[in-house]
Amino acid sequence: MVGNAYVQIGMAMFRTGILGYGGGPSIVPLIRYEAVTRFQWMKDEEFMEVLAIANTLPGPIATKLAGYLGYRLKGGWGAAIGVLAHIVPTCVAMVGLYSFINFFSTSQVIKGMIAAVVPIVAVMLGVMAYEFGEKAVKGLGWAAGLTFFVISFLLLQTFSVHPAIVIFMFLLYGAFHHKLKDKWSKSKKQLGKGEGV
């Protein structure tokens, strides 16, 4: 059974590494599927927390997630297997694919193949963003969820604030959200009682 866990980590991270197209963010839905749906190593809420923390740290997101999942399941060896299973096949495939594409660089078929994959990645990211947004609205409420969406959009797109800073700001707020919400609702009730008198 011990070996089975290592095999699961290796196979899951191999699949995410070899099937992920378009860089780290496009691999996140694949890692989420392996960790939450296929092997049920964690709940969706925990995966979202891990993803948020991983986004605040430097380095490629997919490698951090592979390392974390491996470590969570089997410690240091699990982390090593997770990271290696994720990056080694991709490195080998990258060298082979680059040689192939370089050889057929003028082919319209290759250009069409690459262009056809882009909408799939966009849909995968869109579905994951919708599901995360839905959970955020359930946890924060509609008003706070939409407000934070607008604030984060403005910070990232209009003011070009680094994503790690925006994530850290919201993590900091999230640590105190429920306390602030309770305080606000208590003061609202007291104000209502005062008006009733």
Side-chain angles (χ1 to χ4, degrees):
M1 201 67 181
V2 171
N4 190 26
Y6 288 115
V7 170
Q8 285 183 357
I9 294 164
M11 289 305 296
M13 294 306 105
F14 173 82
R15 276 191 294 267
T16 60
I18 210 76
L19 298 175
Y21 178 91
S26 66
I27 296 171
V28 171
L30 298 175
I31 293 177
R32 178 175 165 254
Y33 175 79
E34 296 288 342
V36 176
T37 307
R38 187 191 294 264
F39 292 111
Q40 298 176 351
W41 293 327
M42 61 178 62
K43 301 281 184 201
D44 211 23
E45 291 75 16
E46 186 184 350
F47 183 82
M48 287 182 354
E49 289 169 9
V50 171
L51 180 62
I53 292 166
N55 268 316
T56 63
L57 301 172
I61 185 71
T63 311
K64 288 182 281 188
L65 289 173
Y68 171 79
L69 289 171
Y71 184 80
R72 186 179 186 278
L73 293 169
K74 297 308 285 179
W77 284 109
I81 288 169
V83 171
L84 288 173
H86 183 74
I87 63 172
V88 170
T90 308
C91 293
V92 172
M94 183 68 197
V95 171
L97 189 60
Y98 179 75
S99 304
F100 176 78
I101 288 174
N102 201 33
F103 186 75
F104 294 104
S105 58
T106 56
S107 170
Q108 291 301 316
V109 173
I110 298 296
K111 288 178 184 174
M113 287 167 64
I114 292 170
V117 175
V118 174
I120 296 167
V121 173
V123 168
M124 286 169 54
L125 287 171
V127 168
M128 189 179 77
Y130 174 78
E131 289 174 357
F132 281 9
E134 192 177 36
K135 288 187 189 322
V137 166
K138 281 181 186 173
L140 297 170
W142 277 101
L146 289 174
T147 302
F148 291 156
F149 173 78
V150 170
I151 291 169
S152 60
F153 181 81
L154 290 172
L155 288 172
L156 293 168
Q157 296 299 316
T158 307
F159 300 107
S160 299
V161 177
H162 193 279
I165 295 169
V166 176
I167 291 167
F168 181 74
M169 285 168 50
F170 286 108
L171 279 173
L172 198 61
Y173 173 80
F176 302 102
H177 171 74
H178 290 292
K179 287 181 184 176
L180 293 170
K181 192 176 176 183
D182 290 343
K183 231 182 219 183
W184 186 65
S185 62
K186 281 178 187 175
S187 65
K188 207 172 163 186
K189 282 179 186 175
Q190 287 173 353
L191 188 66
K193 284 179 185 176
E195 286 174 0
V197 174

